[in-house]
Amino acid sequence: MNTAPVLSESGRPVQPGSTPRDTPRENVNPYHIALEQLETAAQYLELDPGLHEVLKYPERELIVHFPVKMDDGQTRVFTGYRVQHNVARGPAKGGIRYSPHTDLDEVRALAMWMTWKCAIVNIPFGGAKGGVVCDPRTLSHSELERLTRRYTSEISILIGPNTDIPAPDMGTDAATMAWIMDTYSMNVGHTVPAVVTGKPVAVGGSEGRSDATGRGIVFIAQEALRDNGISMRGARFAIQGFGNVGSVAARILHEIGARVIAVCDAEGGLYNPNGLDIPALRDCARREGSILAHGGGDPITPRQLLELDTDVLIPAAVENQITLENVHRIRARIIIEGANGPTTPAADRILQERGVFLVPDVLANAGGVVVSYFEWVQDLQFFFWHEEEVNQKMEKILIRAYRDVREMARKEKVDMRLAAYLIGVKRVADATTLRGFYP
Ligand code: GLU
């Protein structure tokens, strides 16, 4: 296994021999990690070096700095990004993140992961991601609206129903998508629902989209448990993150008889080895704004949650949660990555050596983009489906993708992440080769 490629300050891979002296023991730059994962797959696939080089770089990167009038009358300048990694298999697809910690390398990594994710579940999209450096919790509703509309306008040279289709990610939601759809539509002079997915159902969103990522994780968990001889009834789950992914997965797992023993958000969480009352917890989170107000368990930190004795761990918060620092204390038998990039490559290798069964992000959380694909198709046809149909079609796609990846893992005797990459990277490489290079 190679070490992570080293990138210059501009973010470009630099040649071997020019490694900076103070390279940390574990490189947690998400783009470096994404490049390392690609490198492993490229070597395994014996990818043509030129083609590998093409896949390392995002095809397009847009950085925007734009002013927003704040409620107090002052003007603040925000920085945003939209990165399209690859469009060989179709229009670019991927969410928009509002976070104080986002930066160009994070958005590049997330865009690359979208390329592989769409290819692994075999939907006709390339990969993209966007981000705005801001803390949405500190902005008012109308500040968020102005920020979203101006950011949309700034990236409108890239986005469109045939070119690049945003969706929600951390810090954004259906309301954000409605503003994006409206802003784009006002500029072109007619309503274009297919420019963005994850919208409210009332303005062309799909039934089932808001629950899709969490529901998809449960479909994947069912398969993973079956493969590992564990019954879903009473199986213990610890879930890090109680946002759109973690809280929906917790709700559905609770409904189907699993035992959710711990959940947390960024502030902290609750642990109860007998299982938490998830509906009550969700009510409490809605009412009080935090799950901590619910008294049904012992307080726990997000780091402690990762190390609990549990059958399944679902990291569904942010990147770099399972690292060299804590991987030796992870006790779960199965890890299902709800977040993008929660495990570093070094931790990945140790988990594999220890026989932990890990379903990677690019497969485990793909339910969201699969239903985004359905939403886009429905918008283009102005013909809408019932939730049952959406869920059934999503289940079919995810289970087929899971089984293809598991089969590849068995055949090649590799872990599930590499198996997923072998399928995804190969599909993108094949599409690129078939299309050839213009001119
Ligand atoms: N942000 C989600 C993801 O990381 C969804 C992207 C989409 O639906 O386009 O997969």
Side-chain angles (χ1 to χ4, degrees):
M1 166 74 71
N2 277 6
T3 51
V6 177
L7 276 82
S8 67
E9 271 173 33
S10 67
R12 295 296 185 217
V14 296
Q15 297 308 311
S18 57
T19 310
R21 262 182 299 136
D22 297 318
T23 307
R25 191 160 97 96
E26 189 174 25
N27 185 342
V28 292
N29 176 311
Y31 183 43
H32 297 200
I33 288 175
L35 286 171
E36 181 174 347
Q37 292 164 338
L38 169 62
E39 168 107 31
T40 307
Q43 281 181 4
Y44 212 96
L45 290 166
E46 296 178 8
L47 213 63
D48 168 75
L51 195 49
H52 179 194
E53 194 69 11
V54 170
L55 299 178
K56 279 185 197 168
Y57 294 91
E59 188 170 317
R60 288 196 180 115
E61 304 181 334
L62 177 63
I63 304 178
V64 294
H65 306 285
F66 55 96
V68 177
K69 258 283 190 266
M70 308 306 281
D71 290 345
D72 63 5
Q74 292 194 8
T75 301
R76 258 179 72 185
V77 176
F78 290 86
T79 297
Y81 310 96
R82 184 72 185 170
V83 172
Q84 298 176 350
H85 171 255
N86 188 285
V87 294
R89 302 180 68 259
K93 186 83 190 81
I96 290 170
R97 170 170 295 199
Y98 287 178
S99 154
H101 310 294
T102 199
D103 60 22
L104 184 56
D105 273 353
E106 181 185 65
V107 177
R108 285 168 166 164
L110 291 162
M112 190 190 285
W113 288 330
M114 285 308 302
T115 301
W116 313 140
K117 194 184 299 187
C118 293
I120 290 159
V121 292
N122 213 358
I123 56 176
F125 288 132
K129 208 78 170 198
V132 176
V133 187
C134 68
D135 184 350
R137 291 169 308 179
T138 63
L139 299 173
S140 72
H141 189 77
S142 51
E143 286 168 343
L144 272 175
E145 177 171 355
R146 287 192 293 277
L147 177 144
T148 301
R149 289 188 182 278
R150 181 60 189 252
Y151 168 69
T152 303
S153 171
E154 295 291 339
I155 64 165
S156 66
I157 52 173
L158 292 184
I159 65 171
N162 300 313
T163 52
D164 181 349
I165 305 121
D169 196 76
M170 265 171 53
T172 58
D173 57 16
T176 323
M177 301 305 116
W179 292 325
I180 295 177
M181 188 274 259
D182 185 70
T183 306
Y184 182 88
S185 298
M186 288 299 111
N187 279 305
V188 295
H190 58 96
T191 297
V192 188
V195 67
V196 67
T197 60
K199 301 177 294 295
V201 172
V203 291
S206 176
E207 295 288 350
R209 176 62 185 85
S210 59
D211 281 359
T213 312
R215 186 177 297 281
I217 282 168
V218 178
F219 289 141
I220 295 284
Q222 285 170 321
E223 289 290 301
L225 258 65
R226 195 174 311 125
D227 273 349
N228 286 274
I230 303 173
S231 157
M232 184 57 94
R233 253 219 109 66
R236 295 167 305 159
F237 283 76
I239 305 177
Q240 190 202 42
F242 210 64
N244 183 44
V245 181
S247 77
V248 172
R251 190 196 82 215
I252 300 173
L253 285 166
H254 183 82
E255 280 165 12
I256 63 173
R259 203 164 15 132
V260 181
I261 60 165
V263 298
C264 72
D265 57 23
E267 270 73 55
L270 293 171
Y271 168 57
N272 183 341
N274 299 318
L276 293 162
D277 182 348
I278 298 298
L281 232 153
R282 280 169 58 97
D283 280 351
C284 176
R286 240 191 317 269
R287 250 191 350 260
E288 313 284 337
S290 164
I291 51 177
L292 292 173
H294 180 73
D298 299 327
I300 191 170
T301 67
R303 306 301 289 180
Q304 286 169 332
L305 182 141
L306 298 171
E307 300 169 12
L308 286 175
D309 179 17
T310 181
D311 297 306
V312 187
L313 172 64
I314 304 182
V318 286
E319 294 102 71
N320 295 324
Q321 294 303 296
I322 305 175
T323 64
L324 272 183
E325 189 272 312
N326 64 357
V327 64
H328 292 285
R329 295 191 297 277
I330 302 285
R331 285 187 279 172
R333 290 169 63 188
I334 297 176
I335 297 175
I336 298 179
E337 293 187 329
N340 292 310
T343 314
T344 62
D348 240 349
R349 286 191 286 276
I350 292 166
L351 291 171
Q352 197 203 358
E353 278 161 25
R354 287 186 24 211
V356 176
F357 186 81
L358 182 146
V359 187
D361 46 10
V362 284
L363 171 62
N365 71 30
V369 75
V370 168
V371 177
S372 275
Y373 166 51
F374 297 158
E375 180 172 330
W376 180 71
V377 168
Q378 292 170 79
D379 287 339
L380 292 175
Q381 300 183 342
F382 297 95
F383 182 73
F384 291 87
W385 315 344
H386 293 295
E387 181 172 356
E388 211 178 30
E389 190 178 353
V390 170
N391 292 345
Q392 279 169 2
K393 284 191 160 80
M394 188 244 288
E395 181 176 12
K396 221 167 145 181
I397 288 183
L398 282 191
I399 290 182
R400 178 180 304 161
Y402 174 92
R403 291 185 183 162
D404 287 349
V405 170
R406 191 197 52 197
E407 207 39 51
M408 178 66 85
R410 284 195 183 145
K411 194 169 95 219
E412 298 295 325
K413 297 189 175 48
V414 297
D415 64 26
M416 291 285 282
R417 188 182 318 274
L418 179 53
Y421 271 63
L422 295 181
I423 292 173
V425 173
K426 175 90 169 47
R427 284 192 179 137
V428 177
D430 286 350
T432 307
T433 309
L434 283 167
R435 288 178 63 154
F437 295 117
Y438 173 86

